[in-house]
Amino acid sequence: MSNLFKRIITGVIFVVILAGAILYNAYSFLVIFSIITFAGLREFYSLIETAGKAEINKAVHSFGGFLLLAGFFLYLSTRLGVIVFIPFLIYFLYLFISQLYLKKEDPIQNWAYIVLGQLYIALPFALLCLLPFYRTDPGNVITYHPEIPFAFFVFIWINDSGAYIVGSTFGRHRLFERISPKKSWEGFLGGVLLTIITAYMFAYYFPNTFSSWEWIGMSLVTVIFGTLGDLTESLFKRTLGIKDSGSILPGHGGILDRFDSVLLASPACAIYLIILNSLR
């Protein structure tokens, strides 16, 4: 089976599963991103260990990222309040106290890489929970709005596809040659244009969620910071001297390869929605 065919098949299955989980209900959203968060952290910590940077209990600290995601989900989707973060705070205490007893050669380096994983991977996925629950409906009713996280990922997919097609056809001027020699300004602008058109489509079908300009604003935030997220992960891999972060997705590499854009686009979109909601 050719790599292109594997890439297409994997991509289609990936999109169907992710879109289906987002659109079905809030609990399928929680399940799919819990799996992705755990797998992404485990992949990240495995790369760090393989590179000899630190010694990490991958299962425990990957589970810690899940606790952060679950805390955000419960805080935003229920009336339980900040009590939902207690399990993650207990894990956070364990993260530091455990090094007193593990007798590792460099506990500071272990702390640094473990916390980096929580900030770089777990927190962005946890912040995705803000998208479907970014506001309450009239009557102070908490409602799941799947069109917002769905649009977020569609914007990323359209931008990636548009940037690749336009960049491979017309790309002449390098966007960030030191980090990613294949990316071009032409591809970036092509992705932006197609994503704006997609935002207009969401504005047509979901006018009660956002206005046209608000949808366009979200698409631009997603594209700009998604591109920066892609470059950041490329810098991470280049520093470690690897091509792919893993092999769990045939033709696509690892979890971090597939969700690199999300890692910066998610916090940026969260900020955008918080500001947007405050202005309403």
Side-chain angles (χ1 to χ4, degrees):
M1 185 184 297
S2 70
N3 189 61
L4 177 60
F5 185 70
K6 285 194 295 185
R7 185 177 178 85
I8 292 172
I9 294 298
T10 302
V12 170
I13 294 173
F14 166 80
V15 168
V16 169
I17 291 175
L18 188 61
I22 291 171
L23 296 173
Y24 187 65
N25 62 31
Y27 298 105
S28 58
F29 175 96
L30 174 61
V31 169
I32 191 66
F33 285 109
S34 295
I35 294 171
I36 291 169
T37 300
F38 186 91
L41 278 168
R42 190 174 181 85
E43 186 176 273
F44 175 83
Y45 290 138
S46 293
L47 292 172
I48 294 299
E49 272 203 327
T50 301
K53 302 292 185 180
E55 299 176 66
I56 300 170
N57 187 323
K58 296 184 287 295
V60 168
H61 297 295
S62 298
F63 183 72
F66 158 74
L67 293 177
L68 182 61
L69 174 82
F72 268 83
F73 179 86
L74 291 172
Y75 180 77
L76 292 164
S77 64
T78 69
R79 306 289 186 187
L80 295 175
V82 295
I83 192 173
V84 299
F85 289 105
I86 288 178
F88 177 76
L89 293 176
I90 292 173
Y91 156 75
F92 189 76
L93 292 173
Y94 163 81
L95 188 163
F96 287 93
I97 295 171
S98 62
Q99 293 294 326
L100 296 174
Y101 300 95
L102 293 176
K103 300 178 181 178
K104 301 296 184 181
E105 183 178 345
D106 191 344
I108 294 177
Q109 191 157 305
N110 290 346
W111 282 326
Y113 281 108
I114 292 168
V115 172
L116 175 61
Q118 299 299 316
L119 290 175
Y120 179 51
I121 297 165
L123 182 59
F125 283 123
L127 287 171
L128 284 175
C129 297
L130 183 69
L131 274 61
F133 298 110
Y134 90 105
R135 64 189 173 96
T136 54
D137 287 340
N140 202 32
V141 176
I142 296 173
T143 307
Y144 179 68
H145 294 272
E147 70 275 11
I148 302 175
F150 178 64
F152 172 81
F153 280 98
V154 170
F155 292 155
I156 287 176
W157 297 333
I158 292 295
N159 176 60
D160 286 347
S161 300
Y164 174 77
I165 294 170
V166 175
S168 59
T169 306
F170 303 105
R172 297 293 182 273
H173 302 86
R174 299 302 98 186
L175 178 64
F176 217 117
E177 190 167 10
R178 180 174 65 89
I179 304 300
S180 185
K182 294 183 179 180
K183 291 189 182 300
S184 67
W185 279 104
E186 291 83 357
F188 172 73
L189 294 175
V192 168
L193 178 60
L194 287 176
T195 308
I196 290 175
I197 294 171
T198 306
Y200 269 113
M201 294 174 64
F202 273 95
Y204 177 80
Y205 286 105
F206 300 101
N208 294 326
T209 303
F210 296 133
S211 68
S212 296
W213 287 109
E214 289 169 342
W215 277 116
I216 291 171
M218 178 179 165
S219 72
L220 290 175
V221 169
T222 303
V223 167
I224 292 170
F225 286 92
T227 301
L228 292 170
D230 189 342
L231 290 168
T232 299
E233 205 246 348
S234 294
L235 177 60
F236 169 71
K237 291 190 295 184
R238 185 177 287 269
T239 302
L240 293 182
I242 58 174
K243 182 178 184 294
D244 296 321
S245 64
S247 57
I248 192 172
L249 300 171
H252 290 265
I255 294 293
L256 301 182
D257 294 317
R258 186 66 271 181
F259 288 93
D260 51 3
S261 299
V262 175
L263 301 179
L264 291 191
S266 171
C269 257
I271 294 170
Y272 174 76
L273 292 181
I274 291 169
I275 294 173
L276 196 63
N277 196 37
S278 69
L279 296 176
R280 285 177 177 265

